Amino acid sequence: MNKLYLNISLYISSFIPLYFLIIVKEIIDIANGNLSFNITNSVMLSINLILIILGSISIFYLYKKTNYQTVEIKSYKNITRENFLPYFPLFVLFALAFELEFISMAVVYVLILVIIGIVYVKNEMFYINPLLNIIGFCLYEVTLENGKKLRVFMQKKPTTVNILTNGFLVKNGKVKEK
């Protein structure tokens, strides 16, 4: 699989909770009359909805359809908490501080997402993905028998046996006994 596609997909999916919060905020503001339904709001709602759909489809595709290889784990460590909290302020900043009904704020929102996306993809920061944490995955740093270290998302605690991985996800229920 193309590594660039993988990183972009994981980046888009990592912000799905944020896109959802922004859609909820805008819909509530429109329903309460605090916000008028105009072109800017329609575009921002559409962009966030498209990003939710793209991110969801990409995670599903990456989990179900990618090629997995069998690897043997020597050791593992749960590192979920080490990578989640630094991401949280971004959610608060976007969801609470941005008033996307203003074109200037909508443009800044998109530009910040692009800048964060460039850094995320360039540095392969796929392990920062709150969506995967929300849907039940934990991030583990595993050391393979050959000494290579991987960061992988798993739904169950790993065991020191053969597993199927595609380099960032481990299929649930696919752990094989020696």
Side-chain angles (χ1 to χ4, degrees), residues 1-35:
M1 166 162 294
N2 181 341
K3 200 166 199 166
L4 180 63
Y5 170 76
L6 171 71
N7 282 327
I8 290 172
S9 297
L10 289 169
Y11 167 67
I12 291 171
S13 72
S14 70
F15 276 98
I16 286 177
L18 172 69
Y19 309 141
F20 177 75
L21 289 174
I22 289 173
I23 288 173
V24 167
K25 178 182 180 248
E26 287 199 2
I27 289 173
I28 289 171
D29 282 344
I30 290 169
N32 286 329
N34 299 336
L35 193 61

Side-chain angles (χ1 to χ4, degrees), residues 30 121 141:
I30 290 169
V121 170
E141 182 175 78

Side-chain angles (χ1 to χ4, degrees), residues 111-123:
L111 290 175
I112 289 174
L113 284 177
V114 169
I115 291 167
I116 292 170
I118 291 168
V119 171
Y120 187 100
V121 170
K122 186 175 180 180
N123 294 294

